[in-house]
Amino acid sequence: MCDNNKSVIIIGGGLVGALCACFLAKRGYHIEVYEVREDLRKCKLQRGRSINLALSHRGRRALRTVGLEEEVLKHAIPMKGRLLHNLPHELSSVPYDEQTNQCIYSVSRNLLNEVLLTAAEEYDNVTLTFSCKLVDANLKEGSCVIQNLKTNETIKAKADLIIGADGAYSKLRSQMQKLPLFQYSQTYIEHGYLELSISSKNGHMMIPNHLHIWPRGEFMMIALPNKDGSWTVTLFMALTRFKMLTGREELLKFFESTFPDAIELIGEEDLVEQFFSSPPSHLISIKCYPYHFENRALIIGDAAHAMVPFYGQGMNCGFQDCTLLDQLISQFDGNFDYVLQEFSERRKDDAFAICDLAMYNYKEMRDLVTKPSFRLRKALDNVLYSLFPKYWIPLYNSVSFSEIRYTECLKNREMQNWMITLSLIFLMLMGLSIIVISSWK
Ligand SMILES: Cc1cc2nc3c(=O)[nH]c(=O)nc-3n(C[C@H](O)[C@H](O)[C@H](O)COP(=O)(O)OP(=O)(O)OC[C@H]3O[C@@H](n4cnc5c(N)ncnc54)[C@H](O)[C@@H]3O)c2cc1C
């Protein structure tokens, strides 16, 4: 039987760490969460990574399991498709799911984190400690050294299991990297991102309930809605190109030629001010394996599989880690020897697949969406999906609106590509035969 007296230390009270605390607290485990930042519910909004995120099926499923889906969706805005801003001045809507009208949801990162921290704190068996940083860990003995950044004190904490949900630059993972046979690779892409904003005063000029995209081939801009009527705009572009925009004049010239409608939406003065107020951020993709050490330590979320943000799956995938961990704890009656081993086995290929898919989707969003061949394929996918909803699920739908394993989503796509190629060859041969037969007659 599952031993509920087990203790777990979670490093990181971000999205995945806070959700994981809720999952494990439900089981009666004793949870201590250490978060390096101050409690975000008590401090002013911090600028940093994306202000809002796209929540989709995998994330919703995890939230539902801990009873938080409804609460989160109350504060979220449905986005039923992409709204393309093409040059010179053409708008076109591309729904995500014409068959069943499923949508993704724009949700504030801070609000989501607040909901999760508050929900975790409501359990008597959860302690949240802020301004506390993991500085060292002894994986063999299941202990870690935590530094309180306010008092500068360090304490040694011990638990049956240590979970690293401490993000892409995970300290716990860096300890695992020292172990033999730990595989690790990281890629910084040459493109970075910068966040801008369309104020709530101008927000009404945007067509609602869409994820807006300005696809420009080598780069793109996107915008997601916020609950107060404003929109968070993110410009993704080569870092070298960012560097070339050194002053007001270059910036406005660049926007006039590439995103002319965005100048009015953001406002000329706001655009200049926002653009030069902080440098662009980098984007990293990380693959590693295994995610556990014996029955003592596990990494989840970005600590295990940071990805570029173009599929909107980083958080969703991290939330799915929590669902999987929970399922495995049930399956193996809480025996961490099996749970952790199986977690690594089950998650590896899927995590690698979604990291690759996220890279691919940048090309799709910034470039392919404007190509007639892409639109034709999308139309064909829609027809086949409506005819065979169980057998022909388009890639985007399987990733965003199902729990099909990411590896299966990729395999399905390859199989669909094969079937389309074979059908085209068949049709060409048929056409040729008709021409040959009719000329012979
Ligand atoms: C521009 C952008 C847009 C994105 N959009 C989406 C989207 O639309 N949909 C989506 O699903 N995903 C999106 N993502 C990805 C998503 O942000 C991440 O996948 C998600 O935040 C991962 O959550 P996490 O809790 O694993 O890591 P994090 O959010 O990084 O949280 C880690 C936490 O650990 C704390 N921490 C770090 N080190 C220590 C330490 N040594 N000791 C104690 N605490 C520590 C940090 O302070 C932080 O609170 C986007 C990412 C970016 C960059």
Side-chain angles (χ1 to χ4, degrees):
M1 274 299 286
C2 193
D3 170 9
N4 290 350
N5 265 328
K6 283 190 168 143
S7 57
V8 182
I9 289 175
I10 298 178
I11 307 297
L15 300 173
V16 175
L19 177 67
C20 187
C22 295
F23 265 97
L24 300 184
K26 260 181 85 178
R27 296 190 162 270
Y29 294 165
H30 300 282
I31 317 288
E32 285 178 76
V33 180
Y34 292 103
E35 165 56 49
V36 66
R37 291 175 306 174
E38 283 181 52
D39 188 344
L40 60 84
R41 295 165 297 175
K42 293 182 189 152
C43 52
K44 279 211 311 210
L45 186 83
Q46 296 165 344
R47 260 188 88 95
R49 252 170 345 151
S50 68
I51 288 164
N52 50 21
L53 302 137
L55 173 70
S56 54
H57 186 88
R58 293 164 209 264
R60 286 177 59 189
R61 155 77 198 272
L63 292 169
R64 197 176 315 138
T65 312
V66 293
L68 293 175
E69 185 190 20
E70 227 176 278
E71 166 75 3
V72 170
L73 289 190
K74 259 199 291 187
H75 303 284
I77 301 172
M79 297 183 290
K80 57 188 181 192
R82 294 168 173 164
L83 203 288
L84 305 183
H85 294 239
N86 296 319
L87 286 172
H89 196 82
E90 181 223 2
L91 294 178
S92 62
S93 167
V94 186
Y96 285 127
D97 181 16
E98 277 175 316
Q99 308 313 319
T100 51
N101 293 323
Q102 298 192 77
C103 52
I104 56 176
Y105 289 83
S106 172
V107 57
S108 147
R109 180 188 287 272
N110 269 11
L111 183 128
L112 182 54
N113 212 161
E114 277 180 36
V115 168
L116 290 167
L117 288 171
T118 304
E121 214 168 36
E122 272 165 18
Y123 290 93
D124 292 339
N125 46 335
V126 175
T127 319
L128 304 180
T129 318
F130 295 93
S131 304
C132 277
K133 181 180 182 181
L134 172 76
V135 286
D136 200 3
N138 183 333
L139 299 178
K140 260 247 157 320
E141 97 182 9
S143 68
C144 44
V145 180
I146 305 285
Q147 183 189 9
N148 184 320
L149 300 182
K150 287 206 166 140
T151 61
N152 227 3
E153 260 179 306
T154 52
I155 56 151
K156 191 169 173 183
K158 228 177 149 188
D160 295 311
L161 174 64
I162 304 173
I163 297 183
D166 46 347
Y169 303 96
S170 167
K171 181 74 187 172
L172 194 69
R173 188 189 62 229
S174 72
Q175 297 296 316
M176 291 165 103
Q177 276 171 247
K178 295 176 190 159
L179 299 167
L181 299 180
F182 187 84
Q183 312 290 332
Y184 177 80
S185 74
Q186 68 174 46
T187 309
Y188 276 103
I189 62 167
E190 286 166 11
H191 289 218
Y193 71 96
L194 189 88
E195 275 187 354
L196 306 164
S197 164
I198 296 171
S199 67
S200 42
K201 193 168 64 102
N202 291 350
H204 67 273
M205 292 193 262
M206 297 278 277
I207 294 179
N209 298 114
H210 282 83
L211 189 157
H212 287 243
I213 309 181
W214 288 256
R216 296 294 180 264
E218 285 303 307
F219 53 94
M220 70 170 181
M221 201 160 74
I222 66 168
L224 270 74
N226 297 312
K227 227 21 194 177
D228 65 358
S230 66
W231 291 70
T232 303
V233 180
T234 314
L235 172 60
F236 294 97
M237 190 163 77
L239 291 159
T240 47
R241 206 183 273 259
F242 271 113
K243 271 203 189 124
M244 280 152 56
L245 304 174
T246 50
R248 181 190 175 98
E249 219 174 285
E250 290 96 340
L251 175 68
L252 290 177
K253 232 196 232 162
F254 171 69
F255 263 71
E256 268 154 25
S257 60
T258 49
F259 310 116
D261 58 338
I263 300 180
E264 195 195 350
L265 289 164
I266 299 171
E268 198 172 300
E269 288 313 312
D270 284 343
L271 171 63
V272 176
E273 202 234 286
Q274 291 170 22
F275 190 90
F276 294 111
S277 70
S278 53
S281 304
H282 296 89
L283 291 166
I284 193 169
S285 179
I286 291 173
K287 290 178 180 171
C288 63
Y289 177 80
Y291 305 120
H292 74 289
F293 172 73
E294 296 179 353
N295 58 0
R296 288 286 183 198
L298 179 73
I299 46 173
I300 57 174
D302 275 16
H305 43 62
M307 62 195 73
V308 291
F310 306 112
Y311 229 114
Q313 282 295 309
M315 166 193 68
N316 288 289
C317 178
F319 281 9
Q320 198 180 35
D321 289 348
C322 300
T323 309
L324 176 64
L325 180 62
D326 189 52
Q327 285 167 349
L328 294 174
I329 292 174
S330 291
Q331 189 181 334
F332 296 107
D333 283 338
N335 185 333
F336 291 152
D337 287 305
Y338 297 116
V339 171
L340 304 195
Q341 170 77 33
E342 189 65 14
F343 183 93
S344 282
E345 290 308 316
R346 286 274 295 275
R347 212 54 182 143
K348 179 191 174 213
D349 290 347
D350 286 334
F352 282 28
I354 188 59
C355 283
D356 293 341
L357 276 168
M359 286 280 189
Y360 155 81
N361 216 43
Y362 188 26
K363 174 101 179 116
E364 176 170 318
M365 288 176 86
R366 69 182 148 90
D367 191 26
L368 301 182
V369 284
T370 60
K371 304 262 186 285
S373 55
F374 175 83
R375 290 172 185 220
L376 191 68
R377 173 65 195 263
K378 180 107 187 129
L380 182 65
D381 271 342
N382 283 341
V383 172
L384 292 167
Y385 184 34
S386 67
L387 292 175
F388 314 106
K390 277 197 186 141
Y391 305 103
W392 195 283
I393 309 176
L395 180 63
Y396 188 87
N397 301 54
S398 62
V399 169
S400 302
F401 303 130
S402 87
E403 281 170 62
I404 298 173
R405 293 183 62 169
Y406 292 122
T407 35
E408 292 298 317
C409 300
L410 256 177
K411 273 191 210 149
N412 283 347
R413 174 66 162 199
E414 278 159 20
M415 195 261 301
Q416 291 165 358
N417 288 347
W418 259 109
M419 287 172 77
I420 289 176
T421 311
L422 285 179
S423 310
L424 284 176
I425 293 173
F426 177 73
L427 285 176
M428 271 166 55
L429 287 177
M430 286 275 286
L432 265 177
S433 327
I434 292 170
I435 292 170
V436 170
I437 291 170
S438 46
S439 53
W440 177 73
K441 269 187 181 170

